Amino acid sequence: MYKHILVAVDGSQQSEQALAKAIQVAEFHKSSLVIAHIIDLRNVTGAVGFHDSWFVRIENDAKEMLARYKELAEAKGLTKVETVLKSGNPRFLIAEELPKTYHIDLLVTAATGRNRVERLLIGSVAEASVRQAPCDVMIVKNAASE
């Protein structure tokens, strides 16, 4: 039985499918759900002024996305829903730090996300999660590719 579920989202269709699956599993197990988004700071370039305005815009968009996803989960009947917005390395934060911090026993993530080029060069968050997470990991495949 899963008590604490973490789902990683990035706004892509694939991560929304992972969110739907996480909500479904949380409903079944009557689990708490943590919906997390990581702003990947490794992609930041340019002058400080540009960085500041860029980051504020990205952060506000992420907060709005998380609020929508929380509302969706609560509309499905979940009562213990929390959102987390952090910046840093998604592979480390999702696969290692957040599961430990929130006592996660199931991590749900999409097989692919927004940044397919980086995934080819460095490896995906899903791949890192399978190798490093201290809990069970559910990889949700893209329904459109089946």
Side-chain angles (χ1 to χ4, degrees):
M1 177 177 235
Y2 297 112
K3 294 180 181 176
H4 307 286
I5 297 172
L6 168 66
V7 61
V9 296
D10 64 7
S12 67
Q13 179 184 2
Q14 295 84 359
S15 79
E16 288 183 359
Q17 291 171 345
L19 173 65
K21 183 65 76 172
I23 290 170
Q24 183 180 43
V25 174
E27 284 179 291
F28 180 81
H29 289 283
K30 301 193 183 342
S31 308
S32 67
L33 180 64
V34 177
I35 305 169
H37 177 71
I38 309 302
I39 299 171
D40 191 346
L41 293 179
R42 297 170 301 163
N43 296 328
V44 176
T45 59
V48 173
F50 174 77
H51 171 268
D52 290 345
S53 63
W54 175 85
F55 186 81
V56 168
R57 187 190 55 182
I58 296 298
E59 187 177 47
N60 287 337
D61 289 348
K63 286 177 183 177
E64 289 176 15
M65 175 187 66
L66 288 171
R68 280 193 320 271
Y69 290 167
K70 180 178 183 180
E71 207 173 275
L72 177 66
E74 290 172 340
K76 293 286 188 178
L78 298 183
T79 57
K80 298 176 276 184
V81 182
E82 185 174 351
T83 61
V84 174
L85 175 60
K86 289 192 170 260
S87 55
N89 183 332
R91 285 163 198 75
F92 170 74
L93 291 169
I94 292 167
E96 297 182 50
E97 183 179 298
L98 293 179
K100 291 175 185 172
T101 301
Y102 292 92
H103 309 289
I104 299 300
D105 42 28
L106 177 64
L107 167 58
V108 181
T109 187
T112 61
R114 283 189 164 175
N115 200 341
R116 292 186 176 147
V117 173
E118 184 177 307
R119 178 175 49 94
L120 291 172
L121 298 173
I122 301 171
S124 69
V125 170
E127 186 180 4
S129 298
V130 168
R131 284 186 274 118
Q132 299 166 349
C135 58
D136 289 350
V137 177
M138 177 185 290
I139 307 296
V140 178
K141 297 190 122 206
N142 183 358
S145 69
E146 294 177 349

